Structures are given as C-alpha cells and as structure tokens.
Amino acid sequence: MKQLFFVCSLLLLFSCEKKQEKTIEMPAPEKHFKEAYKEDPCDTDFDVFFRKFQSDSIFQRQHVKFPLKNTYLNSDGDYELLRKDITVLNYRFLDFTKDEEAAKAENGAFTINIEKEKDSVFYQARGIDNGIHEDIKFAFIDGCWYLLAIEDSST
C-alpha cells in the first residue's frame, strides 16, 4: 500500500510541472499602419496631390500627420473651441468628392474656397445661410503634402 501511495505521489508530482506560458509580441498599431502602407512618391503640386488624397483612402492615411489636430465648437452653450486629436486608429476617410456639388444642395449648402500659400493650403467650407464653417489645413513638409489640422467652428 505504501508503494502504491509512493508511486501515485511521484506521478502526481511530475504531472504537475509548471508549464511555461508563451507570449506573442504584437507590433504597435501605429507602427503596423506605417509598415502596411508604404508611402508613394510625393507630388509637389498640391492639385495633383489633392486629387489622389480625396480618392484614395490608403494614400490619404499616409499623408496625415498623426495625431491629427482636431478642434470643434462646443455646442453646450458657451461655444468655446475644444480640441480632441485623432489617432491613426480613430481616423476615418474624409470624402471631399461631393464638395463641389454642395452649393447646389437644398439643405446644408456650402461653398469651398482654397487658399494657397507657399508651404500651406487652407481648404475652407463656408455655409450658405447655415452655420457651416470648417477649415482644413495642409502643409508641405519634407517634400510631401500632409493634412495637419481640422477646425470645425460650425454652429
């Protein structure tokens, strides 16, 4: 009986070895996006850049400086500008393709004005008889155009 107890104890002892846990190292999400979307050669002409920026979601994401500065008007009564930057994980494709037709819309009509300076461009949406007021800033940095900031002062 003692031998049986001894054998069972040994079996129990050896079967309860501590197993090593395997850990898998995951790449950081922002690093993953940078590696997944290798940059295309840059266009120095803003108009050429913008045509591709407004139609290609991968190209667009490559040409945003993250975290993207995002300010908006607090509509809780005091109308102060608040800032909540947008990370690469929270970024959503900005669709500019219908902006040219916006002036003809019955509701929410607005016009687009593009102000070009030496190394920056301001894409401005201004409402027609409504409170739309949005400025989008692009800058030419290290030979490429990038989206730097969005300011939505719409009421």
Side-chain angles (χ1 to χ4, degrees), residues 11 35-36 47 49 59-60 68 76 79 86-88 90 105 128:
L11 285 174
E35 290 174 2
D47 295 328
F49 157 80
F59 181 84
Q60 188 177 109
L68 177 61
D76 290 342
Y79 294 106
I86 300 171
T87 66
V88 68
N90 295 330
I128 301 171

Side-chain angles (χ1 to χ4, degrees), residues 8 26 63-64 75 77 91 93 95 98-99 102 107 112 115 135-136 139:
C8 287
M26 298 296 288
H63 291 87
V64 174
S75 59
Y91 183 76
F93 178 72
D95 187 3
K98 297 179 181 165
D99 287 357
N107 295 318
I112 297 299
E115 286 187 16
D135 295 319
I136 301 172

Side-chain angles (χ1 to χ4, degrees), residues 41-94:
C42 297
D43 290 303
T44 57
D45 182 299
F46 180 78
D47 295 328
V48 174
F49 157 80
F50 192 68
R51 277 193 294 278
K52 193 165 186 180
F53 185 86
Q54 70 181 353
S55 63
D56 183 336
S57 63
I58 294 172
F59 181 84
Q60 188 177 109
R61 188 179 294 264
Q62 291 171 341
H63 291 87
V64 174
K65 286 291 185 182
F66 291 105
L68 177 61
K69 293 179 184 100
N70 180 45
T71 54
Y72 57 94
L73 203 57
N74 180 4
S75 59
D76 290 342
D78 56 3
Y79 294 106
E80 67 178 314
L81 275 178
L82 301 176
R83 181 171 166 180
K84 184 176 181 184
D85 293 347
I86 300 171
T87 66
V88 68
L89 295 176
N90 295 330
Y91 183 76
R92 300 288 178 254
F93 178 72
L94 299 176

Side-chain angles (χ1 to χ4, degrees), residues 20-33:
Q20 273 188 324
E21 293 183 20
K22 293 183 181 180
T23 57
I24 300 172
E25 196 168 313
M26 298 296 288
E30 291 186 17
K31 183 180 177 185
H32 170 70
F33 279 116

